[in-house]
Amino acid sequence: MMHRLIAPALAAAFSVAMALPADAMDLTELTDAERAQFRAEVRAYLMDNPEVIMEAVELLQAREAEQQAQADFTLVTENAAAIFDDGYSWVGGNPDGDIVLVEFLDYRCGYCKKAHGEVAKLLETDGNIKWIVKEFPILGEQSVLASRFAVATKQVAGGDSYHALNDALMSFNGDVTLPALRRLGETFGLDVDAIEARMDSEEVTREIAETRALAQKLKISGTPTFVMQDELLRGYLPYDQMQAVVAEKRG
């Protein structure tokens, strides 16, 4: 990351060093001698003031972060209906909450497992957050198998059973196999035969495919990824940071 920033940061540093706006520095208009003198002066300045390079890097990073935030805001706005009201994603927390937290997750993702407890704590301590779960299996066949079983459970047995299974799958650390999933389902008294029969249905396939398509539109490539109100939060966030974002959203 740092190497990628050095070249443009040096260009910005040159502008700082010479006290000129970036668009005023057209080296093509200089003679060879003037260009050599200019480069020597810039090098001498940067050697005497190396902190200028880091200032330029920090400025560039801030600009890139601002541009990414604006791009994410646009993506969320353009896909709001699919994100917040797709008609099939499970809704937990407070359905009437003033803050909406959407989570794209994979049951084989270590950071998703870590985030699960943080999200649960946030929902418990706040009480005014609506939580929407998006099944986004991206870590191989076991991830897909787990998601198919979870979605089939939701469709066959309802939201409460799905919630219980979601919790259990996030705590599960063994290999995800159909026999293991059946045993897990049986602990909740589920009709595992009906769920297994549903797993490869068109309805389950469509739900996972539509969520995958939405993730592609939002440029989501990893889990967990959250959408909170109008903002994309890419990656794991500990409880205190999520709490801070919630407070910011409430103004």
Side-chain angles (χ1 to χ4, degrees), residues 83-84 100-104 130-134 225-228:
I83 295 171
F84 302 111
V100 183
L101 177 67
V102 182
E103 181 179 4
F104 290 76
K130 179 180 180 179
W131 179 39
I132 301 175
V133 176
K134 302 281 191 183
T225 294
F226 300 92
V227 181
M228 188 180 292

Side-chain angles (χ1 to χ4, degrees), residues 57-233:
V57 169
E58 291 172 2
L59 175 61
L60 183 61
Q61 288 176 324
R63 287 177 178 174
E64 288 187 344
E66 182 178 351
Q67 291 169 355
Q68 182 65 62
Q70 182 56 51
D72 285 348
F73 174 83
T74 300
L75 288 174
V76 172
T77 301
E78 291 176 346
N79 296 281
I83 295 171
F84 302 111
D85 190 23
D86 61 18
Y88 56 78
S89 291
W90 181 78
V91 177
N94 181 352
D96 299 316
D98 65 333
I99 296 293
V100 183
L101 177 67
V102 182
E103 181 179 4
F104 290 76
L105 57 79
D106 183 312
Y107 295 114
R108 297 286 288 172
C109 166
Y111 281 105
C112 292
K113 293 178 181 294
K114 188 175 180 180
H116 191 70
E118 309 284 314
V119 171
K121 181 179 178 181
L122 182 68
L123 298 176
E124 180 181 355
T125 56
D126 189 289
N128 203 23
I129 297 176
K130 179 180 180 179
W131 179 39
I132 301 175
V133 176
K134 302 281 191 183
E135 295 278 342
F136 186 43
I138 58 174
L139 297 178
E141 294 181 3
Q142 292 189 34
S143 294
V144 174
L145 186 66
S147 275
R148 283 190 173 277
F149 192 85
V151 173
T153 296
K154 173 166 59 70
Q155 294 181 2
V156 169
D160 289 344
S161 294
Y162 172 83
H163 186 199
L165 183 68
N166 175 273
D167 280 339
L169 284 171
M170 279 302 175
S171 300
F172 186 79
N173 291 317
D175 287 336
V176 177
T177 63
L178 186 56
L181 290 170
R182 287 180 61 93
R183 287 193 296 271
L184 202 59
E186 287 168 353
T187 64
F188 299 109
L190 300 177
D191 184 347
V192 293
D193 289 333
I195 292 170
E196 181 179 349
R198 185 79 167 187
M199 287 176 64
D200 292 323
S201 68
E202 182 179 336
E203 292 83 0
V204 170
T205 298
R206 183 187 306 116
E207 180 172 330
I208 293 175
E210 288 183 2
T211 299
R212 189 181 301 276
L214 173 61
Q216 290 176 342
K217 290 179 181 178
L218 297 175
K219 303 186 187 305
I220 295 172
S221 58
T223 54
T225 294
F226 300 92
V227 181
M228 188 180 292
Q229 301 294 87
D230 57 359
E231 184 176 358
L232 268 165
L233 306 172

